Amino acid sequence: MSLPASPITSIHPNTITPVKHLAIYGNLSQPSRRLNAIVNFFKLLDESDYRVTVERRFYDYLKALDGDMPRFDTFADECPECDIAVSMGGDGTFLSTARALGASGTPIVGVNTGHLGYLADVDVADATRLLEALASGDYREERRAVLQASIVNGEGEIPAGEFALNEIAILRAETASMIEVITAIDGEPLAHFRGDGLIVSTPTGSTGYNLSVGGPIIEPSSPALSIAPIAPHSLTMRPLVVADSTVIDISVGSRVPSWRLSFDGHWVTLPINTRVQIKRAPFTINIIHTAGHTFASTLRSKLLWGAASF
């Protein structure tokens, strides 16, 4: 099966299908200081021509906090067919929304009600601008690569449909013992990484867990993956960037009988004799950005690269 192209794809107003139906996701721990802005966003939606469906737990949560919440149709487990999904929260909520949508191809726009917001980059205070952009088609859609893992041998099991938009991490179990991550790329032995684990990251995830362990920042449209050790026991073990067509084979050694395989923070425990293969999945997660958003501007604002020096 051929993989979809990596680069950013722009959708122009004159070719875009009008947005009619929005599905809203959100977390259940919204900051109290943003509650008024969140309710105002829903009031704008109520006054708009959009058909709006809200995740039931999220709607009930907001309704309990503010009785002025407008009435909307809700959904429980499976997202209804919609034109765009709206994720309200931070980057963790965005990842949960992507997880819920899976390979559906439904574009996601992140409305930030939290703090940092690499993925959820539209502030909830800019709700009017966002709805105008969706109505006019003044936005672009980026296709982001995701990772999947499969069991090659051993007795372990990975739940069907598991994938990662940010990273797949190989982690030691709840013990102080280090693990040895034996790694090969495209069938060629690479290294024995000894330490707390290893992170295989997409460009999207390069500013997440990968960055915190000293991995490189990768421009989102780059057809590349990062392989970064976690707390390596050798200074010669450094992060590595490889093509996103690379197939990465992993096996783990340790004094303890198990280790953890994490998909964007959702993990499964596997026995030591399990070998795993990690590669790019045959689908993308599609992200909506409003006009004016660029990767460079995100780095300047989120990492304070544009801050004045003294």
Side-chain angles (χ1 to χ4, degrees), residues 90-96 98-99 116-120 144-148 162-169 198-212 216 218 220 224-228 262-266 278-279 281 283-285 287:
D91 288 348
T93 307
F94 193 101
L95 292 174
S96 296
R99 184 181 178 88
L116 198 56
Y118 279 101
L119 295 169
R144 299 291 184 89
V146 299
L147 294 170
Q148 64 181 21
E162 285 284 1
F163 68 91
L165 174 59
N166 268 4
E167 78 279 320
I168 292 179
L198 189 73
I199 297 171
V200 180
S201 169
T202 66
T204 301
S206 68
T207 51
Y209 196 1
N210 169 75
L211 183 61
S212 73
I218 304 175
L225 303 174
S226 169
I227 302 174
S262 169
F263 299 82
D264 288 342
H266 295 264
I278 299 171
K279 60 183 179 180
F283 64 92
T284 60
I285 295 296
I287 300 179

Side-chain angles (χ1 to χ4, degrees), residues 18 113 142 179 197 200 227 284 301:
T113 64
E142 296 180 359
I179 59 175
V200 180
I227 302 174
T284 60
S301 63

Side-chain angles (χ1 to χ4, degrees), residues 269-308:
T269 300
L270 299 173
I272 285 298
N273 64 341
T274 305
R275 186 158 63 93
V276 171
Q277 188 173 89
I278 299 171
K279 60 183 179 180
R280 188 178 162 201
F283 64 92
T284 60
I285 295 296
N286 304 321
I287 300 179
I288 294 293
H289 289 301
T290 54
H293 173 276
T294 65
F295 183 59
S297 66
T298 299
L299 293 180
R300 290 198 305 271
S301 63
K302 305 302 180 183
L303 299 183
L304 304 181
W305 284 7

Side-chain angles (χ1 to χ4, degrees), residues 34-243:
R34 309 303 298 273
L35 182 59
N36 287 339
I38 293 169
V39 173
N40 286 337
F41 175 67
F42 277 97
K43 288 180 178 179
L44 286 174
L45 288 173
D46 188 44
E47 296 166 359
S48 73
D49 293 328
Y50 293 112
R51 179 189 171 197
V52 178
T53 313
V54 187
E55 187 180 22
R56 185 173 301 159
R57 292 190 311 149
F58 183 47
Y59 178 81
D60 291 343
Y61 164 79
L62 293 176
K63 186 70 174 175
L65 292 177
D66 193 309
D68 289 335
M69 266 289 292
R71 184 184 183 90
F72 294 101
D73 291 334
T74 61
F75 63 93
D77 299 320
E78 187 173 344
C79 176
E81 290 188 9
C82 61
D83 299 313
I84 288 178
V86 180
S87 169
M88 299 195 68
D91 288 348
T93 307
F94 193 101
L95 292 174
S96 296
T97 302
R99 184 181 178 88
L101 293 171
S104 68
T106 302
I108 308 170
V109 61
V111 175
N112 186 19
T113 64
H115 297 95
L116 198 56
Y118 279 101
L119 295 169
D121 64 327
V122 178
D123 193 273
V124 67
D126 293 330
T128 301
R129 181 174 64 87
L130 170 62
L131 295 181
E132 290 174 349
L134 295 181
S136 66
D138 190 19
Y139 64 86
R140 74 177 190 279
E141 183 177 331
E142 296 180 359
R143 294 180 295 177
R144 299 291 184 89
V146 299
L147 294 170
Q148 64 181 21
S150 57
I151 299 293
V152 177
N153 67 354
E155 300 175 357
E157 183 176 338
I158 297 173
E162 285 284 1
F163 68 91
L165 174 59
N166 268 4
E167 78 279 320
I168 292 179
I170 293 86
L171 305 170
R172 60 187 174 89
E174 292 181 297
T175 171
S177 295
M178 72 174 184
I179 59 175
E180 181 179 41
V181 185
I182 304 161
T183 308
I185 54 175
D186 291 333
E188 181 71 19
L190 177 64
H192 291 211
F193 294 97
R194 297 178 179 89
D196 287 354
L198 189 73
I199 297 171
V200 180
S201 169
T202 66
T204 301
S206 68
T207 51
Y209 196 1
N210 169 75
L211 183 61
S212 73
V213 301
I217 296 174
I218 304 175
E219 200 278 329
S221 65
S222 302
L225 303 174
S226 169
I227 302 174
I230 305 171
H233 282 227
S234 171
L235 292 178
T236 63
M237 296 297 178
R238 312 302 300 170
L240 173 68
V241 175
V242 298

